Coordinates of all heavy atoms in Angstrom, one line a residue:
A181 N 97.9 89.7 85.2 CA 96.6 89.8 84.6 C 96.6 89.1 83.2 O 97.6 89.1 82.5 CB 96.3 91.3 84.4
D182 N 95.4 88.6 82.9 CA 95.3 87.9 81.6 C 95.7 88.8 80.4 O 96.3 88.3 79.5 CB 93.9 87.3 81.4 CG 93.6 86.1 82.3 OD1 94.6 85.5 82.9 OD2 92.4 85.8 82.5
S183 N 95.4 90.0 80.6 CA 95.6 90.9 79.5 C 97.1 91.2 79.1 O 97.4 91.7 78.1 CB 94.9 92.3 79.7 OG 95.4 92.9 80.9
V184 N 98.0 90.9 80.1 CA 99.4 91.2 79.9 C 100.2 89.9 79.8 O 101.4 90.0 79.6 CB 99.9 92.2 80.9 CG1 99.1 93.4 81.0 CG2 100.0 91.5 82.3
K185 N 99.6 88.8 80.1 CA 100.4 87.5 80.1 C 101.1 87.3 78.8 O 100.5 87.5 77.7 CB 99.5 86.3 80.4 CG 99.2 86.2 81.9 CD 98.3 85.0 82.1 CE 97.9 84.8 83.5 NZ 97.0 83.7 83.8
G186 N 102.4 86.9 78.8 CA 103.2 86.7 77.6 C 103.8 87.9 77.1 O 104.6 87.9 76.2
R187 N 103.4 89.1 77.5 CA 103.9 90.4 77.0 C 104.7 91.1 78.1 O 105.7 91.8 77.8 CB 102.8 91.3 76.5 CG 102.0 90.7 75.4 CD 101.0 91.7 74.8 NE 100.0 92.2 75.8 CZ 99.9 93.5 76.1 NH1 100.7 94.4 75.5 NH2 99.0 93.8 77.0
F188 N 104.3 91.1 79.3 CA 104.9 91.8 80.4 C 105.7 90.8 81.3 O 105.2 89.7 81.5 CB 103.9 92.5 81.3 CG 103.2 93.7 80.6 CD1 103.4 93.9 79.2 CD2 102.4 94.6 81.3 CE1 102.8 95.0 78.6 CE2 101.8 95.6 80.7 CZ 102.0 95.9 79.4
T189 N 106.8 91.3 81.9 CA 107.5 90.5 82.9 C 107.9 91.3 84.1 O 108.5 92.4 84.0 CB 108.8 89.9 82.3 OG1 108.5 89.1 81.1 CG2 109.5 89.0 83.3
I190 N 107.5 90.8 85.3 CA 107.8 91.5 86.5 C 109.0 90.8 87.1 O 109.2 89.6 87.0 CB 106.6 91.5 87.5 CG1 106.9 92.4 88.7 CG2 106.3 90.0 87.9 CD1 105.6 92.5 89.6
S191 N 109.9 91.7 87.7 CA 111.1 91.1 88.3 C 111.5 92.1 89.4 O 111.0 93.2 89.5 CB 112.2 90.9 87.3 OG 112.6 92.2 86.7
R192 N 112.5 91.6 90.2 CA 113.0 92.5 91.3 C 114.5 92.2 91.5 O 115.0 91.1 91.2 CB 112.3 92.2 92.6 CG 112.2 90.8 93.0 CD 111.2 90.5 94.1 NE 111.6 91.0 95.4 CZ 110.8 91.0 96.5 NH1 109.5 90.5 96.4 NH2 111.2 91.4 97.6
D193 N 115.2 93.3 91.8 CA 116.6 93.2 92.1 C 116.8 93.6 93.6 O 116.8 94.7 93.9 CB 117.4 94.1 91.2 CG 118.9 94.0 91.4 OD1 119.4 93.6 92.5 OD2 119.7 94.2 90.4
N194 N 117.0 92.6 94.4 CA 117.0 92.8 95.9 C 118.2 93.7 96.2 O 118.1 94.5 97.1 CB 117.1 91.5 96.6 CG 115.8 90.7 96.5 OD1 114.7 91.3 96.2 ND2 115.9 89.4 96.6
A195 N 119.3 93.5 95.5 CA 120.5 94.3 95.8 C 120.3 95.8 95.6 O 120.9 96.6 96.2 CB 121.7 93.8 95.0
K196 N 119.5 96.1 94.6 CA 119.2 97.5 94.2 C 117.9 98.0 94.8 O 117.5 99.2 94.6 CB 119.1 97.6 92.7 CG 120.5 97.4 92.0 CD 120.4 97.6 90.5 CE 121.7 97.4 89.8 NZ 121.6 97.6 88.4
N197 N 117.2 97.1 95.6 CA 115.9 97.5 96.2 C 115.0 98.1 95.1 O 114.3 99.1 95.3 CB 116.1 98.5 97.3 CG 116.8 98.0 98.5 OD1 116.6 96.8 98.8 ND2 117.6 98.7 99.1
T198 N 114.9 97.4 94.0 CA 114.2 97.9 92.8 C 113.4 96.8 92.2 O 113.9 95.6 92.1 CB 115.1 98.5 91.8 OG1 115.8 99.6 92.4 CG2 114.3 99.1 90.6
M199 N 112.2 97.1 91.8 CA 111.3 96.2 91.1 C 111.1 96.7 89.7 O 111.2 98.0 89.5 CB 109.9 96.1 91.8 CG 108.9 95.2 91.1 SD 107.3 95.2 91.9 CE 106.8 96.9 91.8
Y200 N 111.0 95.8 88.7 CA 110.8 96.2 87.3 C 109.6 95.6 86.7 O 109.0 94.6 87.1 CB 112.1 95.7 86.5 CG 113.4 96.2 87.1 CD1 114.1 95.4 87.9 CD2 113.9 97.5 86.8 CE1 115.4 95.8 88.4 CE2 115.1 97.9 87.3 CZ 115.8 97.1 88.1 OH 117.0 97.5 88.6
L201 N 109.2 96.3 85.6 CA 108.1 95.7 84.8 C 108.6 95.9 83.3 O 108.6 97.1 82.8 CB 106.8 96.4 85.0 CG 105.6 95.8 84.2 CD1 105.3 94.4 84.7 CD2 104.4 96.7 84.3
Q202 N 109.0 94.8 82.7 CA 109.3 94.9 81.3 C 108.1 94.7 80.5 O 107.4 93.7 80.6 CB 110.3 93.8 81.0 CG 110.7 93.7 79.5 CD 111.5 94.9 79.0 OE1 112.4 95.4 79.7 NE2 111.2 95.4 77.9
M203 N 107.8 95.7 79.6 CA 106.5 95.6 78.8 C 106.9 95.6 77.4 O 107.5 96.5 76.8 CB 105.7 96.9 79.1 CG 105.4 97.1 80.6 SD 104.3 98.5 80.9 CE 105.3 99.8 80.3
N204 N 106.5 94.5 76.7 CA 106.8 94.3 75.3 C 105.5 94.2 74.5 O 104.4 94.0 75.1 CB 107.6 93.0 75.1 CG 108.9 93.0 75.7 OD1 109.6 94.1 75.9 ND2 109.4 91.9 76.2
S205 N 105.6 94.4 73.2 CA 104.4 94.3 72.3 C 103.2 95.1 72.9 O 102.1 94.7 73.0 CB 103.9 92.8 72.2 OG 105.0 92.0 71.7
L206 N 103.6 96.4 73.2 CA 102.6 97.3 73.8 C 101.4 97.6 72.8 O 101.6 97.7 71.6 CB 103.3 98.6 74.2 CG 104.1 98.4 75.5 CD1 105.1 99.5 75.7 CD2 103.1 98.3 76.7
K207 N 100.2 97.7 73.4 CA 99.0 98.0 72.7 C 98.4 99.3 73.2 O 98.7 99.7 74.3 CB 98.0 96.9 72.9 CG 98.5 95.5 72.6 CD 97.5 94.4 73.0 CE 98.0 93.0 72.7 NZ 96.9 92.0 73.1
P208 N 97.6 99.9 72.4 CA 96.9 101.2 72.8 C 96.2 101.0 74.2 O 96.2 101.9 75.0 CB 96.0 101.5 71.7 CG 96.6 100.9 70.5 CD 97.2 99.6 71.0
E209 N 95.6 99.8 74.4 CA 94.9 99.6 75.6 C 95.8 99.5 76.9 O 95.3 99.4 78.0 CB 94.0 98.4 75.5 CG 94.7 97.1 75.0 CD 94.5 96.9 73.5 OE1 94.6 97.9 72.7 OE2 94.3 95.8 73.1
D210 N 97.1 99.5 76.6 CA 98.0 99.5 77.8 C 98.2 100.9 78.3 O 98.9 101.1 79.3 CB 99.3 98.9 77.4 CG 99.2 97.4 77.0 OD1 98.5 96.7 77.8 OD2 99.9 97.0 76.1
T211 N 97.7 101.9 77.6 CA 97.9 103.3 78.0 C 97.2 103.5 79.4 O 96.0 103.2 79.5 CB 97.3 104.2 77.0 OG1 98.0 104.1 75.7 CG2 97.3 105.7 77.4
A212 N 98.0 104.0 80.3 CA 97.5 104.2 81.7 C 98.6 104.8 82.5 O 99.7 104.9 82.1 CB 97.1 102.9 82.3
V213 N 98.2 105.2 83.7 CA 99.2 105.5 84.7 C 99.5 104.3 85.5 O 98.6 103.6 85.9 CB 98.7 106.6 85.7 CG1 99.8 106.9 86.8 CG2 98.4 107.9 84.9

């Protein structure tokens, strides 16, 4: 999403069957479930 470009990074580890979301430079408007 445009609102998170440059701040968030999505990745996945196939060996661990896990997906990640690294969130940096968090803002109040990122508050959510």
Side-chain angles (χ1 to χ4, degrees):
D182 288 342
S183 59
V184 306
K185 281 181 181 177
R187 300 188 298 122
F188 291 10
T189 303
I190 189 171
S191 63
R192 54 196 284 175
D193 185 331
N194 294 333
K196 295 183 178 180
N197 294 325
T198 301
M199 177 180 65
Y200 303 97
L201 185 68
Q202 178 66 43
M203 306 186 295
N204 299 327
S205 302
L206 283 161
K207 304 175 181 180
E209 51 264 43
D210 295 319
T211 295
V213 178

